[in-house]
Amino acid sequence: MNRPLLLLLPALAALGLTTQCQSSKPAATAATTAPAVTAPTPRAYRYETAPNDPLGVRVYTLANGLKVYLSDYKNAPRIQTYLAVRAGSKNDPATATGLAHYLEHMVFKGTSRLGTKDWSKEKPELDKIEALYEVYRGERNDPLARKRTYHQIDSISGVAARYAVPNEYDKLMGSIGAKGSNAHTSNEETVYQEDIPSNQLEKWAAVQSERLKEMVPRLFHTELEAVYEEKNRGLDSDFSKEFEALNASLYPTHPYGTQTTIGTIEHLQNPSITEIKKYFGQYYVPGNMALCLSGDLDYDQTIRLIDKYFGELPAKPAPTFTAPVEKPITTPLVKQVVGPASENVMLGYRLPGKATRDALRLRMLDKILTNGQAGLFDLDLNQQQKVLQAQTFADLNDDYSTHVLYGTPRQGQKLEEVQALMLAEVAKVKRGDFPAWLIPAIVNNEKLGRTKSYESNEARASAMYESFIERVSWADYVQQNEDFATITKAEIVKFANDNYGQNYVAVFKRTGEDPNKVKVVKPAITPVPANRDAASAFYTEVSKLPNTELQPVFIDYKTDIEQDTIKPGLLLYATRNRENKLFSLFYAIDLGTNNNPLLDVATDYLQYLGTGQYSAAQLQQEFYKLGCSFAVSSSQDRVLISLSGLDSNLEPAMQLFEQLLNNPRTDAAALKNQVAGILKQRQDAKLNKGVILNQAMLNYAKYGPRNPFTDMVPEAQLKTLKPEQLTALLKSLPTYQHRVLYYGPREVAGITNVIRTEHRTPAILKPDPAAKDFAEQPLKDKKVYWVDYKMVQAEILFLTKGDIYDRTMAPTVALYNEYFGGGMGSIVFQDLRESKALAYSAMSRYANADKTGRSNYILSYIGTQSDKLPEAMAGMEGLLTDMPLADANLAIAKQSIRNSIATDRITHEGVLLSYERARRLGLDYDLRRDVYDQTQNMTFAELQKFQQAKIRGQNQVILVIGSKDRLNFKELAKYGTVQQLTLKEIFGY
């Protein structure tokens, strides 16, 4: 174990402050005596560091016990922040499950200063509501009494809401240009996140410290309804039900299995504000929390600012948790889950917690099985196509960890066969039947993966909060990566034999109607006022805090991207990686499945092929040894071939890949299995509600029955395909006109020579072949298309066709989206979720096309309980018809756009990919410049003019997916001609 270094921070020079002492004796020539002046000495803060830390993290502990993790990374003038609390679902009282998660929602509601117009009037009403909920909980066996009490709660909530400022937290974060405002709760933790401009750090600190001082249960019953909807979404997720069944069997004593993060329906319907306040007071204390910041920060100034705001939080004892001890599992436990999605089997093993050597062994064993390239599951099951798909993952927690094996069957394959195949791969590990080079290669690739991920402030800050939640010092956390590299093959073999026997749980997910389907019943809720233009005194106070002005930096494609000619007609576009030794190389070809539907099959076929002396498995192993990987993907109008990894191995990796692309070894058996797999995937897609709504129905509405989604190789043609047809298509790809993009540490002249030598192309590149033209439907008739799917909720998409893409609309569209339907501070979210409690998720946006000549579309979504469908549809339609005016929201939307663009930096390979996006839109400059320059002077009248011309009253098609026996067809008929679509109609097979 390495001991952390304790350092003393002088910090005077960094702040430009010095101590200057003058003598108390007058100068001989002075007429008067100047008093001695001593500048105050800034406080010095002790901090801990870790040896060999790539992030340069400093860990401070404030006097009240609050941990602060800081990492300076000047990729952009932004800071990723996490506020981590050691309070997760395992800490919920057994009689009030879901409490930690519901508290997470309430922390966004403000305090006695944030989110209120008049606290003196609001507080008495909130106290009444709290008392009534205690009465309500005690009336479980008296439905009539509960109904009367809830009516009182609803009525008083309306009174209290008059004094509330809904979403004021979101408005404040939006105004400073924060992005990714969110939070999550899991077994061990509740974590709040913001990505903020670095010049807004003080405002962030003022707001975050304020909401840690107290929890005010504002707008409680409407937010509870949003949690109900979140519960219903879980009830509609077969995977969630499957994972819950797995944990319930693995952990019959520990809260990991006895309670879920979202909570039971019984507990959700009988909440206690008093218990939530008690929980907040117990767990949201400085010694149980950490702030984790990574980005463009000054260590000295940042810790002083944090201490200024968070240091005033009173110190309290941090709660403890005694983990129940589970009894050993001695024989396999088998569970069955039934639902509409496709079948699969999930196996789980219970193992020690994350801060142990065994957790490192688990991580290693998991990568031996699945690493995406050379794992046993990757090569023996997926590449050999013995199953449709198989993978593993490690769910690491403090007290115990779970190793999950997950597989989906091929057509006609039993789940028990998939189970046996997965267990056979585990048995190989127990016998040591894997190559000796695999563990060192895993260590190397894990290191490369971390290096790449640490180009992201989100990943850097996440590592910090994981260390805190894990209860290990930062030095020990960093050391875990070194310890991981010391694991031996013999150690893994022993670990597998000691821990992987008959001690597992198997959950078989069958396709069918769930006989235990339940839902959270909709309560009667009176909408509360949105008070959009109201603001608290605290909001005004924070808004006035000073901050430096940051200027945007736009990409100049002519100077930020170097160009060179590899050979006539083949250009290189390159940007330098000055941060690490990794590279990304792309061949971008402007043809896709609209040119030839076989491209999708061919690019997928490549993963099953070998070349030269290498089999398909050996080839993947060679790439893995080099710390490199390749991918070939096809979309409607583009093929993107990519190679990435360690730049020092670029040449051998390119040689291998070019050999594969130009001389793939045909494999008839692999093609036969691939075709069978494609047909099974097509069947499974018809069981996936996300694919049904967002791909099949959406394409049907836009284009009609013949559309890019249904334009696939017919089953009969698939079954008669010859391997040579696909390899010929693959070989032809580099013969078409394309571009080469390189992001890496080499100078452009050097990389040009490498590509010129290794990239095999003909002397003259062919023009791209003609593509199919899928005519967009006019959408002039009002239609309601619906598909029957057994689910608790109904999901609804409103679709309107807009204009052909026009770059001059970009500023107006950006402001409209930010104001109307973009995030938690938008009009749509405030109205449909916060005010009316109609949905957990609701949004609306004007979606610009991604290519010239294509139409824009207005997409509006709401997911709601089926019995709330009339109110939900009317609510969304009302907003689309009459966009409310809220001056405060408009000002915030403008500030948000300005602050975001001023502090966003497009870096790394993002520069090249930004150029590719601009190129598709016919742009030769960074379009964000127009948005930044023009949105600030726009008025609501201009926004309203846009809305009335482009959105209001426009014909629309509405897409609905839900259970036939729950949908209100009389209500649907109000919006147009109702037509049921069959799966065959929208999938084309």
Side-chain angles (χ1 to χ4, degrees):
M1 179 181 295
N2 291 330
R3 299 178 63 85
L5 304 176
L6 293 176
L7 306 174
L8 198 61
L9 184 68
L12 299 178
L15 291 178
L17 299 175
T18 57
T19 301
Q20 194 174 42
C21 297
Q22 293 183 329
S23 171
S24 60
K25 296 180 180 179
T29 57
T32 58
T33 301
V37 177
T38 303
T41 303
R43 175 183 168 185
Y45 292 84
R46 293 166 64 90
Y47 59 86
E48 302 174 6
T49 63
N52 304 315
D53 176 15
L55 305 187
V57 173
R58 296 183 182 182
V59 185
Y60 304 82
T61 305
L62 301 187
N64 58 10
L66 181 70
K67 289 282 187 185
V68 182
Y69 296 70
L70 302 179
S71 176
D72 180 24
Y73 181 55
K74 300 190 183 302
N75 182 53
R78 299 191 69 87
I79 301 172
Q80 177 67 49
T81 74
Y82 286 107
L83 165 59
V85 189
R86 290 175 178 149
S89 54
K90 80 174 187 183
N91 307 107
D92 288 344
T95 57
T97 59
L99 194 152
H101 171 253
Y102 191 63
L103 173 57
E104 169 215 310
H105 281 244
M106 296 313 300
V107 171
F108 285 88
K109 300 302 179 183
T111 66
S112 58
R113 297 204 301 153
L114 170 65
T116 185
K117 293 196 296 180
D118 190 332
W119 177 242
S120 64
K121 293 180 180 178
E122 184 185 21
K123 184 180 185 306
E125 306 303 326
L126 295 181
D127 290 342
K128 294 176 190 176
I129 294 168
E130 179 177 350
L132 282 170
Y133 266 110
E134 294 306 306
V135 173
Y136 186 72
R137 295 182 82 210
E139 297 172 333
R140 285 180 172 88
N141 299 320
D142 190 341
L144 290 178
R146 278 173 68 84
K147 187 174 182 179
R148 287 193 297 270
T149 302
Y150 193 85
H151 178 73
Q152 286 183 278
I153 291 171
D154 183 61
S155 177
I156 297 172
S157 294
V159 176
R162 297 175 193 166
Y163 310 110
V165 186
N167 293 98
E168 186 162 61
Y169 172 83
D170 301 309
K171 291 177 181 178
L172 259 174
M173 289 298 102
S175 70
I176 68 173
K179 297 189 295 186
S181 181
N182 213 331
H184 74 263
T185 304
S186 60
N187 284 328
E188 311 287 350
E189 69 210 43
T190 302
V191 180
Y192 302 86
Q193 67 185 66
E194 297 289 350
D195 174 1
I196 63 170
S198 56
N199 65 332
Q200 303 287 350
L201 184 62
E202 184 165 13
K203 292 178 183 177
W204 168 87
V207 175
Q208 302 304 322
S209 60
E210 171 65 22
R211 66 179 186 154
L212 291 178
K213 292 174 183 177
E214 60 183 331
M215 192 286 293
V216 170
R218 182 174 287 120
L219 305 174
F220 186 87
H221 79 319
T222 54
E223 191 63 29
L224 184 61
E225 178 68 1
V227 175
Y228 289 169
E229 290 293 354
E230 193 172 357
K231 176 69 174 180
N232 282 328
R233 290 169 79 92
L235 294 172
D236 280 335
S237 167
D238 285 356
F239 183 85
S240 294
K241 292 186 289 186
E242 192 176 357
F243 201 60
E244 285 181 15
L246 182 79
N247 284 326
S249 297
L250 283 171
Y251 305 104
T253 305
H254 194 286
Y256 290 166
T258 60
Q259 50 200 56
T260 65
T261 298
I262 196 73
T264 67
I265 292 177
E266 163 70 16
H267 294 160
L268 286 176
Q269 291 183 328
N270 294 283
S272 169
I273 294 174
T274 303
E275 284 294 320
I276 293 175
K277 283 183 173 180
K278 179 181 176 183
Y279 189 98
F280 180 86
Q282 182 180 2
Y283 286 94
Y284 282 60
V285 298
N288 202 46
M289 301 188 295
L291 295 175
C292 305
L293 283 69
S294 177
D296 183 11
L297 55 82
D298 178 279
Y299 289 108
D300 304 348
Q301 294 178 9
T302 302
I303 189 59
R304 287 198 177 89
L305 195 61
I306 286 175
D307 194 19
K308 172 185 174 181
Y309 285 97
F310 293 89
E312 61 187 21
L313 298 173
K316 294 180 181 178
T320 59
F321 178 82
T322 303
V325 178
E326 294 287 1
K327 294 178 181 179
I329 297 173
T330 58
T331 186
L333 302 176
V334 179
K335 300 294 178 182
Q336 306 283 342
V337 171
V338 180
S342 58
E343 294 189 342
N344 65 75
V345 59
M346 182 184 290
L347 308 181
Y349 292 88
R350 187 177 67 220
L351 296 156
K354 64 169 69 171
T356 63
R357 178 78 176 182
D358 275 350
L360 295 179
R361 296 173 179 131
L362 166 56
R363 279 176 51 196
M364 181 64 77
L365 195 153
D366 183 62
K367 292 300 177 184
I368 289 171
L369 294 175
T370 303
N371 56 54
Q373 287 181 261
L376 298 183
F377 273 41
D378 300 319
L379 300 180
D380 297 346
L381 300 184
N382 294 330
Q383 193 173 66
Q384 293 187 32
Q385 303 183 83
K386 292 180 179 178
V387 298
L388 190 63
Q389 184 67 39
Q391 65 184 76
T392 65
F393 63 90
D395 182 22
L396 301 171
N397 289 291
D398 286 359
D399 306 324
Y400 291 100
S401 297
T402 306
H403 197 189
V404 178
L405 286 59
Y406 180 85
T408 55
R410 298 181 66 81
Q411 182 64 38
Q413 189 175 39
K414 294 181 179 179
L415 293 180
E416 289 78 6
E417 295 177 61
V418 178
Q419 174 188 10
L421 287 167
M422 294 193 298
L423 290 174
E425 298 305 311
V426 175
K428 289 181 183 179
V429 180
K430 295 167 74 172
R431 296 194 303 269
D433 188 10
F434 59 91
W437 58 261
L438 184 55
I439 286 180
I442 288 171
V443 171
N444 185 45
N445 279 273
E446 287 289 286
K447 183 176 180 180
L448 292 176
R450 279 195 307 277
T451 300
K452 183 63 178 175
S453 73
Y454 288 162
E455 294 176 357
S456 154
N457 277 317
E458 188 172 3
R460 298 164 70 96
S462 294
M464 300 179 216
Y465 89 66
E466 287 169 5
S467 163
F468 173 75
I469 297 298
E470 193 176 325
R471 299 176 188 271
V472 298
S473 70
W474 178 248
D476 287 344
Y477 185 86
V478 172
Q479 181 62 31
Q480 286 178 357
N481 294 323
E482 302 299 322
D483 294 342
F484 184 73
T486 67
I487 293 175
T488 64
K489 180 174 180 177
E491 188 177 354
I492 287 297
V493 171
K494 183 178 186 304
F495 174 73
N497 280 282
D498 289 346
N499 293 279
Y500 292 76
Q502 298 299 302
N503 55 329
Y504 63 86
V505 173
V507 181
F508 293 97
K509 162 63 192 55
R510 313 285 185 183
T511 299
E513 187 167 352
D514 185 357
N516 303 311
K517 176 77 81 173
V518 292
K519 72 169 185 174
V520 185
V521 179
K522 164 194 164 184
I525 291 181
T526 304
V528 298
N531 296 335
R532 292 191 180 97
D533 285 322
S536 66
F538 179 79
Y539 181 100
T540 305
E541 175 188 322
V542 171
S543 299
K544 290 180 179 179
L545 288 172
N547 60 266
T548 57
E549 185 76 16
L550 293 176
Q551 296 302 315
V553 175
F554 300 109
I555 297 177
D556 185 330
Y557 295 127
K558 295 178 181 177
T559 59
D560 293 335
I561 298 176
E562 294 184 88
Q563 291 189 30
D564 203 356
T565 300
I566 300 169
K567 57 183 65 175
L570 183 59
L571 295 180
L572 169 71
Y573 299 85
T575 56
R576 290 286 295 277
N577 178 359
R578 303 180 187 278
E579 187 172 327
N580 53 50
K581 300 300 182 181
L582 302 181
F583 79 94
S584 297
L585 182 71
F586 305 93
Y587 303 158
I589 311 171
D590 293 328
L591 59 86
T593 54
N594 285 359
N595 304 87
N596 188 344
L598 276 176
L599 271 172
D600 198 31
V601 183
T603 54
D604 189 47
Y605 184 48
L606 192 64
Q607 65 180 304
Y608 305 120
L609 305 183
T611 182
Q613 69 190 68
Y614 299 111
S615 68
Q618 290 170 336
L619 189 68
Q620 290 288 354
Q621 290 172 337
E622 289 302 308
F623 276 110
Y624 199 65
K625 291 176 188 177
L626 292 170
C628 295
S629 62
F630 72 88
V632 183
S633 62
S634 59
S635 60
Q636 293 177 30
D637 54 13
R638 188 173 73 161
V639 170
L640 192 64
I641 301 170
S642 64
L643 183 68
S644 61
L646 193 61
D647 193 76
S648 59
N649 288 334
L650 185 149
E651 284 88 346
M654 260 195 95
Q655 291 163 8
L656 269 180
F657 181 65
E658 288 285 340
Q659 183 180 345
L660 173 64
L661 196 58
N662 287 274
N663 295 294
R665 187 193 302 167
T666 59
D667 188 326
L671 177 57
K672 181 179 179 180
N673 287 331
Q674 181 190 354
V675 167
I678 290 171
L679 296 177
K680 178 61 164 60
Q681 288 170 339
R682 290 181 182 180
Q683 289 182 20
D684 289 350
K686 295 168 81 170
L687 302 175
N688 185 314
K689 64 184 178 70
V691 174
I692 294 170
L693 176 64
N694 298 313
Q695 295 183 51
M697 294 182 72
L698 189 58
N699 273 276
Y700 185 93
K702 284 184 176 182
Y703 301 97
R706 181 179 176 272
N707 60 65
F709 180 76
T710 58
D711 184 42
M712 57 185 71
V713 182
E715 180 176 342
Q717 184 182 349
L718 277 176
K719 290 180 175 180
T720 59
L721 274 178
K722 303 298 181 186
E724 293 75 16
Q725 290 175 262
L726 298 184
T727 54
L729 187 54
L730 289 168
K731 290 178 185 180
S732 74
L733 289 177
T735 69
Y736 289 102
Q737 293 174 353
H738 61 281
R739 302 168 300 287
V740 179
L741 316 176
Y742 169 80
Y743 169 71
R746 304 192 193 197
E747 294 183 356
V748 68
I751 191 62
T752 298
N753 288 331
V754 171
I755 296 170
R756 187 177 290 140
T757 301
E758 305 297 346
H759 186 33
R760 306 180 194 178
T761 63
I764 300 176
L765 297 175
K766 297 184 295 187
D768 300 328
K772 289 189 184 75
D773 178 30
F774 294 101
E776 295 174 316
Q777 298 293 299
L779 302 188
K780 290 183 177 179
D781 299 323
K782 292 188 175 182
K783 286 263 194 177
V784 178
Y785 293 120
W786 71 279
V787 168
D788 185 22
Y789 191 92
K790 298 300 181 184
M791 56 194 290
V792 172
Q793 283 200 319
E795 296 188 43
I796 308 155
L797 264 181
F798 293 71
L799 178 70
T800 300
K801 187 178 180 181
D803 297 330
I804 297 295
Y805 176 79
D806 178 357
R807 67 175 177 82
T808 63
M809 290 173 57
T812 308
V813 167
L815 184 58
Y816 171 79
N817 286 339
E818 186 71 29
Y819 172 79
F820 184 68
M824 289 193 288
S826 69
I827 296 295
V828 167
F829 190 87
Q830 287 180 2
D831 191 86
L832 298 182
R833 172 166 160 168
E834 297 296 298
S835 174
K836 297 176 180 174
L838 292 174
Y840 173 73
S841 178
M843 72 86 191
S844 179
R845 65 189 176 93
Y846 191 98
N848 276 321
D850 65 350
K851 192 175 183 179
T852 54
R854 292 182 179 172
S855 297
N856 307 321
Y857 284 90
I858 299 94
L859 287 163
S860 305
Y861 167 86
I862 187 165
T864 186
Q865 285 179 216
S866 296
D867 55 2
K868 284 197 248 176
L869 182 142
E871 300 99 311
M873 294 187 70
M876 181 67 81
E877 182 73 2
L879 293 175
L880 292 171
T881 301
D882 294 305
M883 182 175 67
L885 165 62
D887 289 331
N889 285 54
L890 182 61
I892 290 168
K894 291 181 181 180
Q895 287 176 299
S896 179
I897 290 173
R898 185 173 184 84
N899 286 328
S900 293
I901 293 179
T903 55
D904 276 341
R905 299 292 183 268
I906 298 176
T907 59
H908 306 124
E909 57 264 76
V911 175
L912 296 169
L913 298 178
S914 171
Y915 169 75
E916 281 290 296
R917 288 190 295 270
R919 186 177 178 277
R920 288 170 59 84
L921 293 171
L923 300 171
D924 59 2
Y925 70 102
D926 189 341
L927 189 59
R928 296 178 304 154
R929 183 184 298 275
D930 293 351
V931 177
Y932 184 83
D933 290 341
Q934 297 178 33
T935 53
Q936 301 312 303
N937 296 321
M938 286 184 182
T939 64
F940 182 78
E942 292 175 274
L943 207 59
Q944 190 175 47
K945 181 180 179 181
F946 168 82
Q947 195 269 347
Q948 290 178 347
K950 309 296 183 184
I951 298 156
R952 179 181 183 177
Q954 299 297 312
N955 289 330
Q956 60 188 9
V957 171
I958 298 177
L959 312 177
V960 180
I961 183 170
S963 185
K964 180 179 181 180
D965 57 357
R966 296 177 187 266
L967 293 176
N968 186 331
F969 293 99
K970 184 177 179 181
E971 190 67 29
L972 293 179
K974 295 178 181 179
Y975 296 88
T977 303
V978 178
Q979 179 181 340
Q980 180 179 8
L981 296 175
T982 66
L983 294 180
K984 184 175 182 179
E985 284 179 291
I986 60 176
F987 281 86
Y989 56 86

